[in-house]
Amino acid sequence: MFTNGVLRAVLCAVLTLELLVSPTLGAGSGFSLPIKRRSWHHRSRPHKRVNARVFEAKYYKHELGALMVKYRHAADILKGVGLNPEQDLSKYFPFVAGAVPVDESSLDSPIGQAATESSLVTPILLTSGTATMPLQDLIYNGIDILYYGPLNIGTPPQKLTVDVDTGSSDLWVPSGCEFCSNTQFNKKASSTYSSEGTEFQIYYGSGDVTATKAKDVVSLEQLSIKDQGFGAVTRESDEFNGSPNSGLLGLAFGSIAASKQTPFFERLIMDKQLAAPMFSVHLTRNQEFGSQICFGCYDKTKTTGGARWVPVISKTYWAVAMDSICVNSTMAAGDDVIAAIDTGTTLIYLPDDMTSRFYGLIPGATTAFEYGQGFYKYPCDAVFSIALTFGGQSFTMNVEDFNLGRTEDNSKYCVGGILSLGTGFPSYLAIIGDEFLKSWYSTFDYTHGARVGFSPSINNV
Ligand SMILES: *[C@@H]1O[C@H](CO)[C@@H](O)[C@H](O)[C@H]1NC(C)=O
């Protein structure tokens, strides 16, 4: 136990230092940032400097409550109870169609080695078997709240926007929903729409919806499934009505689909439409435009180095083993923690004991019960690095994303973006949201028994 602890502490130190360097690699290699800045738009303006921002608890309290709903079956799910039958997707590999999206050998970056210039992946050509979904970043008080992009449904295609969520597995859009204020899918206008008429309930991080099981053509550029199952939502809770997106695209495994329908991405795999059974996510920081998902591909222009791979340990959520969280080179260990990599969640949530150990490493940090259970504050002028360790590999994150703002104007305390999940969640569950993923371009790969790859994001340059 003692020896193990020491070894892990060393791992934390070595990899943290080395990773602190890696985001600058490739900085001089001339990648351009394809970000459309629309300065006339209020949300595109640079936000108030992080240190001037004042924390507003409302949104985060809501997210914490809503996660309790979204992850309410997590204990059973992670034990393998009540799952939909698993699809053996590996029988559809390897793919033959289209361009080779990545040079696998160069994509891998061995443990403990920084990606070098020569290990950068070959750029993919956006030809057959891949599609890019541009994402829009909803920014509120300088915080990137959610990312959503366009998806075509029906014949002729109707373009609707969906929140992209690797923490759930259903696709749904509002349709015939009396009290929904977002853009809806007009099923009467689609010649290919069909409905089973059965209703199901979906619970999400941001509320819950009642949907009718439906089928129609769903497409993204040339990728298309002619009878994709989805939920035609007839009632949604208020939380969704305030969102700019219409619906949600679940990108986790079909094993946890509430609708029991095979997810869009898994259908694309089974139909061998993809150049590779993977999708990669680039999330911008405080930029309304420029985020994207690359379906069937890895877009090297969004990274400054190769991917480090972490095996998926439960094909439900994109669940990986989380060893520890480091402040500078000191580690706060977790107890067999399972982390869900969740693009549909804004912040980072850890088990109670791990969270208190983590804040214990920041001098002056205390709980901030004034905002409710789970919140912590720390001295705004504290200097430290944060790294999360998954599957024995350590990943530093930008501490600017961790700072949610001062408790009040001129307060010397800031609220931390790592919250404790508290009771109501399995004691070993962590949820890793956009706050972390802005530092790491993430690749969700169905090969090698399923794995998540993290490549240093161009956001860090
Ligand atoms: C982290 O390291 C930096 C640089 O060495 C140092 O200034 C800072 O005090 C350390 N912070 C903590 C919390 O240990």
Side-chain angles (χ1 to χ4, degrees):
M1 188 67 180
F2 175 71
T3 315
N4 189 30
V6 169
L7 284 176
R8 287 161 89 183
V10 169
L11 185 75
C12 170
V14 172
L15 283 176
T16 302
L17 289 174
E18 168 260 310
L19 276 165
L20 282 171
V21 186
S22 70
T24 62
L25 285 168
S29 62
F31 299 145
S32 59
L33 280 98
I35 286 167
K36 268 189 272 171
R37 284 203 73 130
R38 299 208 291 183
S39 55
W40 49 267
H41 197 289
H42 72 282
R43 281 204 298 237
S44 304
R45 261 193 249 135
H47 65 97
K48 282 195 267 178
R49 287 190 53 79
V50 155
N51 273 332
R53 180 165 69 215
V54 174
F55 175 72
E56 276 179 58
K58 193 168 157 247
Y59 174 77
Y60 307 107
K61 278 180 158 172
H62 170 245
E63 177 163 271
L64 188 53
L67 282 177
M68 204 169 280
V69 181
K70 179 176 179 179
Y71 282 90
R72 76 196 194 294
H73 290 316
D76 279 350
I77 284 173
L78 292 170
K79 274 186 226 136
V81 176
L83 301 181
N84 302 326
E86 195 186 315
Q87 306 268 3
D88 179 14
L89 295 170
S90 66
K91 73 180 181 212
Y92 302 100
F93 307 159
F95 289 131
V96 286
V100 175
V102 288
D103 173 348
E104 279 240 358
S105 58
S106 68
L107 188 59
D108 282 301
S109 178
I111 294 179
Q113 275 182 34
T116 59
E117 201 64 34
S118 62
S119 74
L120 293 178
V121 295
T122 316
I124 54 123
L125 299 170
L126 295 180
T127 55
S128 60
T130 70
T132 303
M133 179 193 272
L135 300 177
Q136 214 165 320
D137 177 358
L138 173 65
I139 303 164
Y140 173 75
N141 193 19
I143 304 286
D144 306 294
I145 298 283
L146 68 88
Y147 298 84
Y148 60 102
L151 193 66
N152 291 318
I153 308 184
T155 309
Q158 297 176 38
K159 194 196 268 188
L160 290 144
T161 56
V162 286
D163 182 358
V164 289
D165 183 18
T166 59
S168 69
S169 305
D170 295 279
L171 165 64
W172 62 262
V173 288
S175 184
C177 174
E178 192 182 349
F179 300 107
C180 295
S181 59
N182 332 45
T183 305
Q184 298 199 29
F185 173 64
N186 182 355
K187 52 196 170 207
K188 293 200 187 79
S190 174
S191 61
T192 41
Y193 176 86
S194 69
S195 165
E196 287 177 28
T198 44
E199 282 202 340
F200 69 104
Q201 202 83 22
I202 323 174
Y203 298 92
Y204 283 105
S206 336
D208 62 297
V209 298
T210 305
T212 304
K213 276 196 201 188
K215 278 191 174 137
D216 208 333
V217 181
V218 172
S219 68
L220 185 67
E221 295 178 2
Q222 80 276 23
L223 303 177
S224 179
I225 297 295
K226 67 177 186 342
D227 57 348
Q228 175 62 46
F230 67 99
V233 164
T234 49
R235 191 195 64 77
E236 61 187 34
S237 56
D238 287 346
E239 289 83 352
F240 281 112
N241 269 327
S243 296
N245 56 303
S246 281
L248 190 141
L249 175 62
L251 291 165
F253 294 88
S255 60
I256 61 166
S259 62
K260 310 213 178 297
Q261 294 161 326
T262 305
F264 179 56
F265 194 77
E266 292 187 3
R267 289 291 306 275
L268 292 174
I269 291 176
M270 294 160 76
D271 218 30
K272 290 202 170 225
Q273 289 191 35
L274 298 160
M278 61 160 70
F279 58 90
S280 303
V281 183
H282 173 56
L283 303 179
T284 52
R285 180 179 290 131
N286 275 271
Q287 298 271 1
E288 190 177 4
F289 301 100
S291 300
Q292 67 157 48
I293 300 196
C294 199
F295 285 91
C297 44
Y298 175 96
D299 182 350
K300 146 190 159 157
T301 67
K302 302 293 179 280
T303 80
T304 57
R308 290 155 198 282
W309 293 104
V310 182
V312 165
I313 55 173
S314 163
K315 287 194 252 178
T316 49
Y317 312 107
W318 287 89
V320 298
M322 181 170 186
D323 314 301
S324 65
I325 179 164
C326 301
V327 173
N328 279 0
S329 56
T330 314
M331 175 195 74
D335 246 346
D336 296 321
V337 173
I338 298 176
I341 309 300
D342 184 355
T343 58
T345 291
T346 303
L347 300 181
I348 294 169
Y349 298 83
L350 300 179
D352 281 359
D353 52 351
M354 200 178 184
T355 314
S356 65
R357 266 179 240 144
F358 161 72
Y359 282 101
L361 298 175
I362 303 173
T366 64
T367 50
F369 285 128
E370 57 271 39
Y371 305 117
Q373 212 256 300
F375 290 90
Y376 283 78
K377 61 190 175 193
Y378 65 99
C380 303
D381 58 6
V383 177
F384 52 89
S385 66
I386 301 175
L388 276 55
T389 307
F390 300 118
Q393 302 185 70
S394 193
F395 301 89
T396 52
M397 56 173 266
N398 188 317
V399 282
E400 195 174 304
D401 297 324
F402 170 73
N403 187 341
L404 301 184
R406 292 181 186 264
T407 53
E408 286 161 39
D409 266 327
N410 304 318
S411 163
K412 68 183 180 65
Y413 280 100
C414 286
V415 179
I418 294 180
L419 273 62
S420 111
L421 278 175
T423 48
F425 293 91
S427 62
Y428 49 83
L429 178 70
I431 301 166
I432 310 300
D434 306 334
E435 179 185 344
F436 174 78
L437 300 173
K438 282 182 276 183
S439 291
W440 295 92
Y441 181 70
S442 48
T443 300
F444 299 82
D445 182 11
Y446 284 79
T447 70
H448 298 76
R451 55 183 187 166
V452 182
F454 295 115
S455 312
S457 168
I458 50 165
N459 292 343
N460 301 324
V461 173

